[in-house]
Amino acid sequence: MRRLALRLAILEATRTLEQAGVESARTDAELIAAHVLDVERGRLPLIPLVDPPVVEAIRDLVARRARRVPLQYLLGHAAMGGITVEVGAGVFVPRPETELLLDWGLRLIAERRYPVVVDLCTGSGALALAAAHARPDAVVYALDNDPDALGWARHNADARVREGDTPIRLYSGDVADPSVFAELDGLVDLVLCNPPYVPEGTAVPPEVAEFDPPAAVFAAGGGLDVIRDVVAMATRLLRPGGGMAIEHDDTHARTVPPLLLARSVLTDVTEHTDLAGRPRFVTARRV
């Protein structure tokens, strides 16, 4: 059996994905190759030759990616902070830009002992579980109103416990319900949230339109309805000096910060950009 050059297989995969309109073609090709070979992406240059079945396996996954199946579906997981979570049909796929929101939150509580963290609209549980992994002393709560998402979050939470992480506290509930987490009012150090925020009717990539649950992506009121509820809940949950970080659409740079500025108990309202320099999340602290 003649062995083949891995470099050429990755080049072929990259061209296929570029022709399909995948923006991160080279990165996706390399991650697929690393997945098939079960090695870290950075070790690919150390593997000059591979057997033909490996090339065929790469081509098969690349063909599915070219049909715009999310890369995370093909790999079976998505990264967040220092962990990965499993994702698939029925749950929103975490995006790399959300790591910036997580980083801000972890920096805020870096000097606090036994912080209380709440992740609203938790989906797969990625943010809550990444926070619990980074801060084993934290008490982390996670909330979602979708049974399918909660099933994925429970699955991922159980997996992280098996890896030795501190268990999170997972709840079913809606951010619009003022009674949810009422027992935590004024006690929370950090609220994180990646809510549904894309304005209804917005054209989105096939990976989103065909695979992400619409209720986890789109929101009424120009994409602001859920965010308004999140701001209200986060404001009542936070203790003095506590902070919130809320992701939003890149069209919301002038509409979301005022929602926080309107709350007299919030200060240091700050807009943040994502990896591409687009407005992506807003933060604030409670006076």
Side-chain angles (χ1 to χ4, degrees):
M1 181 182 295
R2 182 182 177 186
R3 308 196 81 197
L4 305 171
L6 177 60
R7 178 179 60 83
L8 294 179
I10 292 175
L11 181 60
E12 174 190 302
T14 301
R15 288 172 176 168
T16 298
L17 295 178
E18 286 176 342
Q19 292 170 358
V22 176
E23 292 184 2
S24 54
R26 178 73 184 198
T27 297
D28 287 15
E30 291 180 352
L31 288 172
I32 287 171
H35 173 71
V36 171
L37 289 163
D38 193 24
V39 299
E40 296 292 332
R41 179 186 174 194
R43 295 188 61 83
L44 290 176
L46 304 178
I47 308 174
L49 299 174
V50 293
D51 294 328
V54 171
V55 176
E56 288 305 312
I58 292 173
R59 285 173 176 165
D60 177 66
L61 289 178
V62 167
R64 294 173 63 192
R65 182 71 184 101
R67 294 194 294 270
R68 306 307 288 271
V69 176
L71 175 68
Q72 295 86 348
Y73 276 29
L74 303 179
L75 305 182
H77 63 265
M80 182 60 62
I83 67 168
T84 61
V85 294
E86 293 188 23
V87 293
V91 70
F92 180 80
V93 175
R95 270 46 171 194
E97 52 263 31
T98 305
E99 299 227 18
L100 299 176
L101 180 150
L102 172 66
D103 289 344
W104 181 91
L106 293 177
R107 288 196 304 273
L108 179 75
I109 61 173
E111 304 301 323
R112 305 185 188 201
R113 299 181 63 192
Y114 310 110
V116 178
V117 179
V118 175
D119 175 27
L120 302 176
C121 307
T122 194
S124 65
L127 277 172
L129 295 169
H133 177 76
R135 290 296 304 268
D137 62 325
V139 180
V140 181
Y141 295 80
L143 179 78
D144 208 289
N145 63 359
D146 179 70
D148 290 334
L150 288 169
W152 281 101
R154 173 49 57 198
H155 172 78
N156 288 320
D158 291 344
R160 293 312 312 168
V161 169
R162 290 193 294 271
E163 292 293 323
D165 284 357
T166 304
I168 66 170
R169 305 180 183 192
L170 187 61
Y171 289 84
S172 174
D174 197 296
V175 293
D177 183 351
S179 69
V180 171
F181 290 152
E183 70 279 11
L184 296 178
D185 284 0
L187 300 177
V188 176
D189 294 280
L190 174 64
V191 176
L192 302 172
C193 186
N194 181 11
Y197 58 66
V198 177
E200 292 175 330
T202 300
V204 294
E207 291 88 343
V208 178
E210 299 176 21
F211 296 94
D212 278 328
V217 176
F218 300 100
L224 297 174
D225 278 6
V226 179
I227 289 178
R228 288 191 177 96
D229 292 329
V230 168
V231 171
M233 177 177 282
T235 301
R236 68 173 172 82
L237 290 179
L238 289 178
R239 67 169 68 238
M244 68 174 75
I246 305 170
E247 190 164 321
H248 59 69
D249 193 64
D250 55 12
T251 64
H252 288 156
R254 295 186 178 182
T255 52
V256 171
L259 297 179
L260 282 69
L261 289 166
R263 304 271 172 169
S264 60
V265 296
L266 296 181
T267 187
D268 293 344
V269 176
T270 305
E271 180 62 42
H272 302 260
T273 57
D274 62 18
L275 299 171
R278 297 169 297 200
R280 184 56 61 204
F281 69 99
V282 65
T283 60
R285 290 189 305 107
R286 199 183 195 287
V287 176

